[in-house]
Amino acid sequence: MMKYRIDVNIVDDHAMLAEGLTEALNRSATIHVSRSFTTLAECRAALKERRPDVLLLDISMPDGDGIAFCQQVTADFPKVRIVAVTIHDEYSVIRRMLDAGVHGYVLKNAAIDELVTAIERVWRREVYVSPAVEDIIRQAASKAVVLTKPEQHILRYVCEGLSNPEIAKRMNLSSETVKWYRKRLLAKFGVKNTASLVALAMKECLHLFGLQKNAQ
């Protein structure tokens, strides 16, 4: 049995949820939640004074991007292990978070026993991805994005920052047709906005439509 209890901090803007997690996790013989924060700013300031073993991080925070925050923490405090605890089950978000250096990814509907397992595993310098998230990654990997030639051209122009009228002029299409193609691209990539589409396209599909030069 462990003599040392894993020091855990929680970052979640829902105070009641953080309190419930704290109470549940502190029942474990291996874990002690010492602090919780409702903003990224609070956590950022606290980390300068003292670092936990494991940080449970909600991706959607009111004062910033949890993915960017994860990148910052992993760069500035490499010994801190991070577990994303989130409602986000979209492949694009999961992939971006893993690319940002997160050590664990657990959905908020997971049982407390699974979260305990995730904390213990990442503390042992392992990576933990919950079975539900593994299924999402597996399904995404089996569904390669196939783009038509017009979609490839429009995606390239979107990544270059062109507006719908500008794309329409270049491709001799109506703005409404370009708008329709944009919606198809969002659906194919499983994202909700143009910023996410561009970010995912630049990571995943450069080789498909010659975006290497534009990515620089």
Side-chain angles (χ1 to χ4, degrees):
M1 184 173 176
M2 288 178 55
K3 293 182 180 179
Y4 177 81
R5 297 184 78 188
I6 303 167
D7 183 23
V8 172
N9 286 179
I10 298 174
V11 187
D12 196 303
D13 61 320
H14 296 93
M16 288 182 64
L17 176 60
E19 290 173 6
L21 277 180
T22 298
E23 183 178 350
L25 290 172
N26 281 342
R27 295 194 192 105
S28 165
T30 60
I31 295 167
H32 173 65
V33 179
S34 59
R35 299 180 298 184
S36 64
F37 311 99
T38 56
T39 68
L40 298 177
E42 290 174 354
C43 181
R44 189 179 293 112
L47 288 175
K48 295 177 181 178
E49 302 298 325
R50 179 168 65 84
R51 266 76 67 192
D53 298 312
V54 177
L55 185 67
L56 303 184
L57 174 64
D58 185 5
I59 298 173
S60 300
M61 295 295 290
D63 64 331
D65 178 5
I67 296 174
F69 182 74
C70 178
Q71 289 177 313
Q72 179 187 2
V73 172
T74 54
D76 294 346
F77 311 109
K79 291 185 179 181
V80 176
R81 308 291 284 177
I82 302 176
V83 177
V85 183
T86 176
I87 62 171
H88 289 288
D89 60 359
E90 308 93 14
Y91 171 71
S92 59
V93 177
I94 295 168
R95 179 60 187 270
R96 288 174 62 206
M97 201 65 182
L98 292 173
D99 287 346
V102 72
H103 308 100
Y105 201 105
V106 178
L107 298 178
K108 282 190 173 180
N109 61 0
I112 196 68
D113 287 347
E114 182 181 347
L115 186 53
V116 169
T117 297
I119 292 169
E120 293 175 344
R121 291 270 295 274
V122 301
W123 179 76
R124 292 197 298 263
R125 319 311 287 178
E126 299 174 26
V127 172
Y128 181 87
V129 177
S130 68
V133 175
E134 284 183 346
D135 286 343
I136 294 167
I137 294 172
R138 194 178 299 112
Q139 290 171 18
S142 67
K143 297 177 182 177
V145 177
V146 178
L147 302 179
T148 65
K149 284 294 182 182
E151 288 170 343
Q152 290 181 30
H153 289 306
I154 287 175
L155 183 53
R156 178 170 183 166
Y157 291 141
V158 169
C159 290
E160 290 176 353
L162 272 64
S163 65
N164 285 355
E166 290 170 331
I167 296 172
K169 185 175 181 180
R170 290 201 183 190
M171 296 187 65
N172 195 27
L173 299 170
S174 70
S175 292
E176 284 301 313
T177 298
V178 173
K179 185 177 179 181
W180 179 80
Y181 271 119
R182 274 188 184 251
K183 289 182 178 179
R184 278 181 58 86
L185 287 169
L186 292 176
K188 282 192 173 185
F189 280 88
V191 294
K192 298 180 180 179
N193 54 55
T194 298
S196 297
L197 172 65
V198 170
L200 189 59
M202 298 298 267
K203 280 184 175 291
E204 302 289 342
C205 301
L206 296 178
H207 64 287
L208 293 180
F209 38 85
L211 282 171
Q212 289 91 337
K213 183 176 180 180
N214 298 316
Q216 297 175 352

